[in-house]
Amino acid sequence: MHISSPTRINACIDQIASNVDKVKAYTHQLCLSDHDMAQTITFSVKRKNKCLTWFDYKRDFNKGNIAKFIQCISALSFSEVLFSSDLTEAFTLFYELVCLFHDLCFPVIKVKMNNRYKKSKWLTKGIRKSCYIKRKLYLRYKLLKTNKSYNRTQFKNYNNVLKKCIIKSQKINNINYISSNKNKCKATWDIISANLSSANSYNEIDSLNFNNATFNNPKDICNLMNDYFINITVSKSNVNSNNVRNVTNTIDNYSSSIFLRPVDAKEVFKIIMSLKNSRSSGYDDITTYILKLIAPWICQPIAHIINLSFDQAVFPEQLKLSVVKPLFKKGDRKDPNNYRPITIVPVISKIIEKAMCERLTGFLEKNGLLQAEQYGFRRGHSTELACFDLVKYVSESLNSKIPILSIFLDLSKALNAMGLEELHLIG
């Protein structure tokens, strides 16, 4: 036990205990709570290679460079792309031109970074000043022997008003954040996660343990995670063919076949502008923000490339490369099993995916191939509607005195053994 002086009135009820040698303990009168003292201990530790500031390399997206990039792209005719009838050739010509001017107009610069604390938006100058005044009133109430009762009442009243102001400011800030986001549920969870003191906010991977070996080198950690994410799908997909049921004959044969109608420039422009305003990018560093700025000049060549992809049943090889980042879920941070891969694809590939999704979804809806109970990834369906139908069904059953049994399943991983077996069964 390191604290020996009183921390609240005459009692030492706040303590710090440790098994560290040569510890020096201190008490400080900061007036941050009704307890008189704050406590700190100091001891020698081995310094880690972590600094307050460091340098990172980022592209320079200033206004001048953006204007230069738009000017360069608008001057291109993309005639070679439009006259090419081969997907690989057409996409390579288009992609090389866009990437060339992108790299020229947005050079990589060295940026100084720091890990200084960023104050919350609700913490205004008025609240900061009021907190300073509250501490002065608390010190006057605690240290002055005269007018003790008056000083205490004044501090209590001021503290109560300040608490209400802080709660009101936080509430207004949260409402503005949620209302300014299209995805209200995600914005709400962002606020909840930010206010939870969870260790999951720490994303750095210092070391991993795998097959009774420890990996500390960043390059070895990257190779280990890469091999793990690849091999887990391969090993799980080796399902015994004798245990796979053939259910293809249970699927009705539909006379209608899917027709991939051609894409025009207007549809491509609409798809580009519907993408989320994200500054994340794939390996090519092209963001949605930049792509939207040059959308009017690249719609026609992209529409031609998509039509070639539909006609030749080929997806551009350059768009098959993705950046995979491990996301920690739960458990031991040194266990690769507790990480889920997040794939960041090039933004141009999202345009082709959305065009294909529109046609595939239309075909499935038209022919009634989707179950009515499927709410996910469908237009006009949502989790709110699923909850409403569940509550409605349960209420009606209870009113009719019908027994009810609910089974809720949650897969810890998308590519687990059972999931892949199911994919084999219905495939």
Side-chain angles (χ1 to χ4, degrees):
M1 309 295 286
H2 301 297
I3 306 299
S4 57
S5 57
T7 59
R8 190 175 190 275
I9 308 177
N10 295 323
C12 186
I13 61 176
D14 302 300
Q15 265 295 346
I16 301 177
S18 74
N19 58 353
V20 182
D21 297 329
K22 299 180 180 180
V23 172
K24 295 181 179 179
Y26 304 93
T27 56
H28 312 273
Q29 193 165 21
L30 300 179
C31 301
L32 296 176
S33 67
D34 59 341
H35 291 216
D36 298 333
M37 298 293 180
Q39 306 83 39
T40 61
I41 61 172
T42 61
F43 52 91
S44 300
V45 295
K46 186 178 179 181
R47 185 180 180 86
K48 292 187 177 181
N49 295 326
K50 290 186 178 181
C51 54
L52 296 177
T53 61
W54 67 94
F55 291 94
D56 196 4
Y57 293 91
K58 295 184 178 182
R59 293 196 178 272
D60 187 9
F61 292 106
N62 61 56
K63 293 182 179 180
N65 291 344
I66 290 175
K68 189 189 303 181
F69 181 63
I70 295 175
Q71 183 181 3
C72 293
I73 296 299
S74 61
L76 297 176
S77 62
F78 295 104
S79 57
E80 294 183 359
V81 177
L82 297 174
F83 286 115
S84 177
S85 59
D86 181 71
L87 172 65
T88 303
E89 180 185 8
F91 184 79
T92 301
L93 291 171
F94 170 79
Y95 202 56
E96 287 181 350
L97 282 173
V98 174
C99 291
L100 172 64
F101 288 104
H102 183 271
D103 295 340
L104 290 175
C105 296
F106 305 117
V108 178
I109 59 175
K110 192 176 182 180
V111 181
K112 188 176 182 180
M113 311 292 291
N114 62 71
N115 57 357
R116 293 177 181 174
Y117 171 75
K118 295 182 180 180
K119 68 175 184 178
S120 302
K121 292 183 179 180
W122 62 265
L123 189 58
T124 62
K125 289 183 179 180
I127 292 178
R128 292 171 66 92
K129 186 177 180 179
S130 300
C131 291
Y132 175 73
I133 296 174
K134 186 198 79 168
R135 285 194 291 271
K136 288 182 64 176
L137 293 174
Y138 184 77
L139 282 172
R140 188 170 66 178
Y141 152 59
K142 283 292 183 180
L143 300 179
L144 294 181
K145 296 181 179 180
T146 59
N147 298 326
K148 197 78 172 178
S149 177
Y150 172 78
N151 292 336
R152 181 179 183 277
T153 303
Q154 190 177 21
F155 164 72
K156 287 289 185 181
N157 294 336
Y158 193 90
N159 186 42
N160 293 334
V161 174
L162 179 58
K163 284 182 179 180
K164 293 179 180 179
C165 291
I166 292 175
I167 294 174
K168 187 69 175 179
S169 179
Q170 291 175 335
K171 184 177 180 180
I172 293 174
N173 180 72
N174 293 339
I175 291 175
N176 292 337
Y177 179 77
I178 294 174
S179 61
S180 61
N181 282 269
K182 292 183 178 180
N183 193 336
K184 309 300 181 186
C185 293
K186 183 179 183 301
T188 304
W189 279 111
D190 288 342
I191 295 173
I192 296 173
S193 300
N195 287 276
L196 292 177
S197 57
S198 173
N200 293 346
S201 58
Y202 180 74
N203 296 321
E204 184 179 350
I205 304 177
D206 295 325
S207 63
L208 288 176
N209 297 328
F210 190 71
N211 289 339
N212 297 325
T214 302
F215 300 85
N216 298 318
N217 186 278
K219 186 176 181 179
D220 295 336
I221 293 174
C222 291
N223 292 331
L224 172 62
M225 297 299 295
N226 184 64
D227 295 337
Y228 175 76
F229 289 146
I230 293 174
N231 294 330
I232 191 173
T233 57
V234 174
S235 60
K236 297 292 185 181
S237 62
N238 294 327
V239 182
N240 189 353
S241 59
N242 296 327
N243 296 329
V244 177
R245 294 182 291 111
N246 184 11
V247 294
T248 55
N249 55 355
T250 63
I251 301 177
D252 296 333
N253 294 322
Y254 290 90
S255 57
S256 302
S257 61
I258 186 171
F259 171 71
L260 301 180
R261 66 180 185 278
V263 180
D264 56 15
K266 290 183 179 180
E267 183 180 359
V268 172
F269 181 81
K270 184 178 178 181
I271 291 174
I272 294 176
M273 301 311 293
S274 68
L275 296 174
K276 293 182 179 180
N277 293 321
S278 173
R279 292 185 180 269
S280 61
S281 60
Y283 72 95
D284 54 6
D285 289 339
I286 299 177
T287 63
T288 306
Y289 172 73
I290 294 298
L291 200 69
K292 287 185 176 182
L293 296 176
I294 60 173
W297 298 280
I298 62 174
C299 288
Q300 191 62 43
I302 290 182
H304 178 67
I305 290 170
I306 295 176
N307 291 330
L308 290 177
S309 177
F310 288 170
D311 183 60
Q312 300 174 14
V314 178
F315 194 78
E317 291 292 331
Q318 295 93 325
L319 300 182
K320 295 180 181 179
L321 298 177
S322 303
V323 177
V324 179
K325 294 185 177 182
L327 178 65
F328 176 74
K329 298 300 292 182
K330 60 180 180 179
D332 185 9
R333 287 186 172 273
K334 296 185 178 182
D335 187 359
N337 290 285
N338 296 326
Y339 289 85
R340 179 167 63 90
I342 299 296
T343 305
I344 304 176
V345 299
V347 67
I348 298 180
S349 67
K350 297 180 182 179
I351 305 173
I352 305 177
E353 292 172 5
K354 279 185 171 290
M356 184 62 189
C357 179
E358 184 70 23
R359 285 148 180 78
L360 181 59
T361 305
F363 173 78
L364 297 175
E365 294 284 355
K366 179 181 177 181
N367 292 277
L369 297 175
L370 297 177
Q371 294 292 332
E373 293 79 9
Q374 180 177 331
Y375 294 90
F377 309 102
R378 293 183 66 185
R379 189 174 300 169
H381 295 69
S382 62
T383 53
E384 290 85 356
L385 184 60
C387 292
F388 173 79
D389 288 347
L390 176 61
V391 173
K392 179 173 177 281
Y393 178 78
V394 171
S395 301
E396 292 176 350
S397 300
L398 290 176
N399 291 334
S400 302
K401 298 182 180 181
I402 300 176
I404 302 173
L405 174 64
S406 297
I407 300 176
F408 297 90
L409 300 178
D410 183 18
L411 300 180
S412 60
K413 293 180 181 178
L415 295 175
N416 60 359
M418 185 179 69
L420 284 169
E421 286 179 3
E422 291 299 320
L423 287 178
H424 278 272
L425 290 176
I426 66 175

